[in-house]
Amino acid sequence: MTTTTGTTTTDTTTTTTTTTRTVLFDEIGGPEVLKIHDVELATTPGPGEVLVRVDALGLNRAEALFRSGGYYYQPTLPGSRLGYEAAGTVEQIGDGVTEFAAGDTVFTGPGIEMSAQGVYAERVVLPESALVPRPAEVDAVTGAAAWLTYTTAYGGMIETGGLRPGDHVLITGASSGVGTAAIQVARRIGAVPVATTRTEAKKQQLLDLGAAHVIVTDGGNVEGTVKETKRFTDGRGVELIFDAIGGPDFRPLAEALIPEGGTVVAYGWLDPRPAELPRMADLKIHFYANSTLTTTPAGRRRSTAFLNQGLRDGAFRPPIAEVFDGLDRIQDAHRLMESNTHTGKIVVKL
Ligand SMILES: NC(=O)c1ccc[n+]([C@@H]2O[C@H](COP(=O)([O-])OP(=O)(O)OC[C@H]3O[C@@H](n4cnc5c(N)ncnc54)[C@H](OP(=O)(O)O)[C@@H]3O)[C@@H](O)[C@H]2O)c1
């Protein structure tokens, strides 16, 4: 709910402010630190800015890490905002905005700094560059589950990893939001996705999503994962490892690659323990950051075209683990994420 709370007039402009329910946290900690506040925001966005009504927001592991102090940058406390990804509708645009108009449906994401711009709120004001067009036929819950995962899978596996039709790709942590998207992205281009999970109960879901083979890892036994990958690929190994986990398994897992010129794309560090580099002669290792792709005009154009075409023609159907109703359920949504029992995305519908 939004209520107009005040009007400030200067010599040249009139700014009307309102309050909007927003999730903030004052200290590093568990889901319980997330609290809802009425935060003031300008109903007339500034030059180059857009006022967006948030219809649904998608959770990412990044936000649990940011909230608990384990992300690659630290929150500004107290009063940090949270969240990268939402599906929303443009309510107003500021001067100079050219790509969007009131009523347009959008994804949020590119270039967002969470403490200042986090999207866990009923309304947000963002720079135009932090929005991407969402096809009108993509509903808010599907949209909130789509942007970050499919663009990361596309940028990491195809642009950076060079995945090609007929290649095999080993996707670790495959029940994650990004992992489930990676299975569909690999299938989309005719590659063969091999998936890992620590959870036997997720195996059938991953097969249903398109995994050609699922290896249940039990959280250790990396030698077993390598052996099973080789068996499934008739002894050859995979052309690409798309790795969400890192940690001590990072080095031995590379043995699952083809011996001649395999590639590892490391995009997540779910295992916080130190990793060693693999000892192989002919090997490429890339560390992938989605912001590098999606904040450049050309990268934005390519990743958006790939995402929206897949959503329109039905190739990309993000699995939704659970939809929570209303911002008041944000702590429960974070608890579910940290339980690791989910497959795919956790969404909060506003
Ligand atoms: N580089 C980038 O631009 C970029 C973009 C997006 C995400 N990421 C990173 O990608 C990773 C996945 O993010 P997400 O939001 O997709 O994850 P998510 O949906 O929260 O899923 C994570 C899944 O991985 C498995 N997992 C969790 N901890 C693990 C561990 N220590 N070892 C092995 N498996 C573990 C769990 O499944 P099982 O227990 O069933 O195996 C869990 O369900 C995170 O590290 C995130 O920061 C990076």
Side-chain angles (χ1 to χ4, degrees), residues 272-294:
R273 293 176 294 171
E276 283 181 29
L277 291 179
R279 294 170 201 162
M280 292 171 75
D282 198 358
L283 167 75
K284 292 181 278 304
I285 301 178
H286 299 278
F287 298 97
Y288 177 76
N290 202 42
S291 53
T292 306
L293 174 74
T294 57

Side-chain angles (χ1 to χ4, degrees), residues 13-35:
T13 56
T14 300
T15 307
T16 306
T17 58
T18 184
T19 57
T20 193
R21 298 180 81 226
T22 303
V23 175
L24 300 177
F25 62 107
D26 291 336
E27 57 184 326
I28 295 292
E32 71 284 353
V33 302
L34 302 178
K35 300 278 162 52

Side-chain angles (χ1 to χ4, degrees), residues 22 48 67 71 98 112 121 130 140 150 154 165 191 212 288 314 332 339 342 350:
T22 303
R67 190 209 68 224
Y71 200 45
T98 54
I112 283 178
Y150 289 98
Y154 162 75
Y288 177 76
D332 294 330
S339 75
H342 62 294
L350 275 69

Side-chain angles (χ1 to χ4, degrees), residues 177-224:
V178 178
T180 51
I183 291 171
Q184 294 177 7
V185 167
R187 283 290 187 195
R188 170 94 176 162
I189 66 150
V192 185
V194 180
T196 76
T197 173
R198 299 176 301 184
T199 310
E200 176 74 38
K202 296 181 181 178
K203 183 173 179 176
Q204 191 56 47
Q205 287 170 288
L206 296 175
L207 291 169
D208 293 344
L209 279 168
H213 188 56
V214 177
I215 302 169
V216 180
T217 66
D218 79 7
N221 187 18
V222 64
E223 292 77 18

Side-chain angles (χ1 to χ4, degrees), residues 76-158:
T76 305
L77 298 171
S80 176
R81 303 175 67 109
L82 191 60
Y84 281 121
E85 187 167 28
T89 307
V90 172
E91 289 197 327
Q92 286 211 50
I93 59 170
D95 288 345
V97 169
T98 54
E99 277 188 58
F100 301 99
D104 284 356
T105 49
V106 291
F107 302 105
T108 71
I112 283 178
E113 191 283 312
M114 284 199 281
S115 268
Q117 300 172 313
V119 300
Y120 285 12
E122 292 184 342
R123 280 177 171 72
V124 285
V125 174
L126 291 169
E128 181 178 21
S129 58
L131 304 177
V132 168
R134 167 169 59 101
E137 64 266 38
V138 176
D139 65 83
V141 168
T142 304
W147 179 77
L148 188 66
T149 53
Y150 289 98
T151 58
T152 302
Y154 162 75
M157 291 198 304
I158 297 177

